Amino acid sequence: MQRVGKVSKTLKGSAAFCQCLAAGSSTSHVASGFCLFKVGNSNNGVFLVRRGKVALLVEGLPSLDRVFSAGSVLGLPSTFTGNPYGLTAQALVDSEVGHVPREDFLELMRQDPTLCREATEMLTREISFIQAALAQRKRQDTRQESQVSAVATP
């Protein structure tokens, strides 16, 4: 499968965080190309990448596509809000993932403020990445519009 996006560590959890999630997760082996969730799907929890590589894909914005490896926690924003998933998570290679249902994850966050703080830090890194990528795209769009205007003006 072709390489999608950049390798990212924005959603990588600490060893302790991953260990807690793994203890409360059901583990599945998924084939390359399998979608853990798709944009618009109802949230059913977070996914911990235990082995392999999973891409988060942003429809219409390939510059935001990223690849996540072992220790990455996918589906955090949607799990906290209860909204449908805003991205698609697709295995790029045969992978092993742990799934923690939404209510179990939220209970874990309520019980352990240290883990909740770490999850919040992951969300902050994710938001910072998205803001930077969108700002870059806006600059590129503005440059392209300027170039088109310059060519169109006699």
Side-chain angles (χ1 to χ4, degrees):
M1 180 174 265
Q2 71 182 35
R3 184 180 168 135
V4 177
K6 298 177 183 178
V7 174
S8 180
K9 294 183 180 181
T10 57
L11 297 174
K12 181 109 35 186
S14 68
F17 189 89
C18 292
Q19 191 173 34
C20 285
L21 286 185
S25 72
S26 58
T27 302
S28 299
H29 296 275
V30 297
S32 177
F34 181 82
C35 288
L36 303 175
F37 53 83
K38 293 183 181 181
V39 101
N41 286 162
S42 295
N43 178 276
N44 65 353
V46 296
F47 293 85
L48 172 65
V49 180
R50 297 180 68 140
R51 184 181 53 78
K53 292 184 180 178
V54 177
L56 281 181
L57 308 171
V58 182
E59 208 171 292
L61 292 172
S63 65
L64 294 180
D65 292 352
R66 287 161 299 144
V67 177
F68 294 89
S69 59
S72 298
V73 183
L74 309 179
L76 274 176
S78 176
T79 300
F80 273 114
T81 65
N83 293 331
Y85 293 109
L87 306 169
T88 294
Q90 183 177 30
L92 296 177
V93 298
D94 291 351
S95 300
E96 181 180 307
V97 296
H99 173 252
V100 180
R102 180 172 188 263
E103 288 308 318
D104 295 350
F105 177 79
L106 294 176
E107 183 58 30
L108 181 62
M109 295 299 103
R110 281 189 284 275
Q111 290 176 1
D112 192 331
T114 302
L115 294 179
C116 189
R117 189 171 24 262
E118 184 172 345
T120 302
E121 290 169 1
M122 283 188 264
L123 287 170
T124 301
R125 290 191 303 262
E126 182 71 356
I127 289 168
S128 295
F129 168 81
I130 291 168
Q131 286 177 327
L134 291 175
Q136 179 182 2
R137 182 181 171 138
K138 185 175 181 179
R139 286 190 299 274
Q140 289 172 342
D141 289 348
T142 302
R143 271 189 242 125
Q144 288 174 347
E145 289 171 6
S146 295
Q147 290 171 350
V148 169
S149 294
V151 172
T153 307

